[in-house]
Amino acid sequence: MLYLVLSILCSVSVGIIFKTARCSVIRNTQIICCNYVVALVLCYLFFKPEPSIALYTSHWGTYTTLMLLLPSIFLFLALSIKNVGIVRTDAAQRLSLFIPILAAWFIFKEDFNNYKLMGLAVGLPALLLILSKKTDKPAGEWMYPAAVLLGFGIVDTMFKKVALFPEPEYTTSLFMIFVGALIITFCAVLYEIIFMKKKINTMNIAYGALVGIFNFGNILFYLKAHKEFSTNPSTVFAAMNMGVIVTGSLAGVLIFDEKLSVRNYAGIILALVAIVLIALSQIYS
C-alpha cells in the first residue's frame, strides 16, 4: 500500500509544482525539458533499459507519436492548472481513463458488462459538474482541461499498446520515448533562446528537476504497486485514480484556496463513483 500512496503523492506534487511556478521568468518549456533530463537519468539508473534493442524495433510509429504527445500534454497540463486550478485539472486527467475504455469498446470491440456501462454513464455528468464554473474569464480557458482529458486519454491508450509489445521491455520503450520527448523540448527551448530572446533561468531548472523527480516517482511507484497487487490490479486502478482526485482536491482547496461550488463537489463524488464502477467491471469481467 505504501507504493500506491507514494505514487498518488508524486502525481499530485507535479500539479502543485506547476501551480507554484507562476512568476514572470518561468518558462514551461524549460521546466519540461529539465524534467525529461532528470526522468531519463532516473529511468536509466532504476530500470537499466537496453536502448540498443529498441533501435531495431518496428514500433517507431508508436514511439514517435508518444514523443510528440508527451511534452505537448505537459504544456496543456501546466496551462490548465494555471487557468482552472489543480482540482479540475486532476479530475480531467483522471477521467481521461474513459478514452481508452471507449477505444476498447468501439475500436477493439471488447465486451462491456453493466458495471463498465454504468461507469461511463456516471462519468460524463461527473466531468461536466467538475468543470462547471462561474467566471468572467473567456470560455477559451476550458480548452486546457479538455486538451488534458483528451491528450492523457490518447497517451494512456498508446502506452497500453506499448505494454503489449513482446520486445523490447516496457521500461526500455519508456526510456526511448523519454529520449525523443527530451529532444523535441530541447529544440523548443533552443528556438525560444535564439528567436524569442528568452534566457535560461535557474528557477526553471529547479522546478524542472522537481517535476522530473516526482514524474518519475509516480511511474516507478505505480509499477511497484502493480507488482505488489499483481493478483488484483483493479485495486491499484481504483485507488490511484480516486486518490489523485481526492488529494488533488484537498491541495487545491487547502493550499491554493481554489473555490468550488456545490456542483463541483457533486461532480467529484460522481467521479469517484464512476471509478469504483470501472474497477468493479474489471473484477467481474
Side-chain angles (χ1 to χ4, degrees):
M1 188 59 71
L2 175 62
Y3 292 135
L4 196 51
V5 172
L6 290 173
S7 181
I8 291 168
L9 292 177
C10 284
S11 179
V12 174
S13 294
V14 171
I16 291 174
I17 293 167
F18 275 120
K19 183 73 172 179
T20 306
R22 289 182 289 183
C23 64
S24 59
V25 296
I26 293 300
R27 301 293 300 177
N28 287 328
T29 48
Q30 293 181 21
I31 292 175
I32 295 168
C33 186
C34 292
N35 149 71
Y36 283 121
V37 172
V38 173
L40 263 177
V41 172
L42 293 174
C43 188
Y44 186 82
L45 292 175
F46 280 87
F47 294 149
K48 302 294 188 295
E50 299 178 276
S52 58
I53 297 176
L55 289 175
Y56 302 100
T57 184
S58 60
H59 308 309
W60 278 100
T62 302
Y63 286 176
T64 304
T65 304
L66 283 167
M67 289 171 185
L68 291 167
L69 279 175
L70 283 180
S72 304
I73 296 308
F74 251 126
L75 280 174
F76 279 111
L77 180 73
L79 290 169
S80 181
I81 290 170
K82 177 182 177 181
N83 283 276
V84 302
I86 291 178
V87 178
R88 295 172 181 84
T89 300
D90 274 345
Q93 181 182 347
R94 290 300 144 183
L95 286 175
S96 67
L97 65 92
F98 291 112
I99 302 293
I101 289 173
L102 290 172
W105 191 5
F106 290 109
I107 298 175
F108 303 110
K109 307 299 181 183
E110 287 187 13
D111 293 329
F112 271 40
N113 57 28
N114 290 333
Y115 286 113
K116 192 166 288 188
L117 291 173
M118 287 189 293
L120 290 171
V122 173
L124 180 58
L127 183 64
L128 295 176
L129 288 169
I130 288 170
L131 297 182
S132 66
K133 180 182 180 184
K134 293 181 180 179
T135 179
D136 296 327
K137 292 183 179 181
E141 70 173 8
W142 297 108
M143 67 175 283
Y144 302 123
V148 168
L149 184 144
L150 184 62
F152 273 101
I154 294 171
V155 166
D156 189 37
T157 302
M158 297 194 71
F159 267 121
K160 282 180 169 58
K161 182 179 178 182
V162 170
L164 295 175
F165 292 159
E167 61 177 20
E169 289 188 9
Y170 180 79
T171 49
T172 296
S173 294
L174 184 67
F175 180 83
M176 297 304 295
I177 292 165
F178 279 175
V179 169
L182 172 60
I183 292 170
I184 290 169
T185 50
F186 179 77
C187 290
V189 170
L190 204 60
Y191 175 86
E192 290 181 346
I193 292 171
I194 296 173
F195 296 103
M196 299 174 65
K197 308 303 180 184
K198 302 296 181 182
K199 295 181 179 180
I200 298 292
N201 187 279
T202 53
M203 289 296 292
N204 294 322
I205 296 173
Y207 278 122
L210 285 174
V211 170
I213 291 169
F214 286 113
N215 184 29
F216 178 79
N218 177 32
I219 295 169
L220 175 66
F221 294 128
Y222 188 64
L223 291 175
K224 285 184 174 292
H226 267 294
K227 286 184 178 180
E228 186 178 9
F229 293 94
S230 58
T231 58
N232 194 5
S234 59
T235 299
V236 179
F237 169 85
M240 181 66 189
N241 287 285
M242 293 173 66
V244 169
I245 289 178
V246 172
T247 309
S249 299
L250 289 173
V253 172
L254 299 178
I255 300 175
F256 299 104
D257 197 29
E258 293 181 9
K259 305 300 182 184
L260 298 181
S261 66
V262 174
R263 285 181 296 178
N264 298 148
Y265 284 114
I268 291 171
I269 292 170
L270 283 180
L272 298 178
V273 171
I275 290 167
V276 169
L277 289 169
I278 297 298
L280 288 173
S281 76
Q282 294 182 355
I283 296 173
Y284 297 108
S285 60

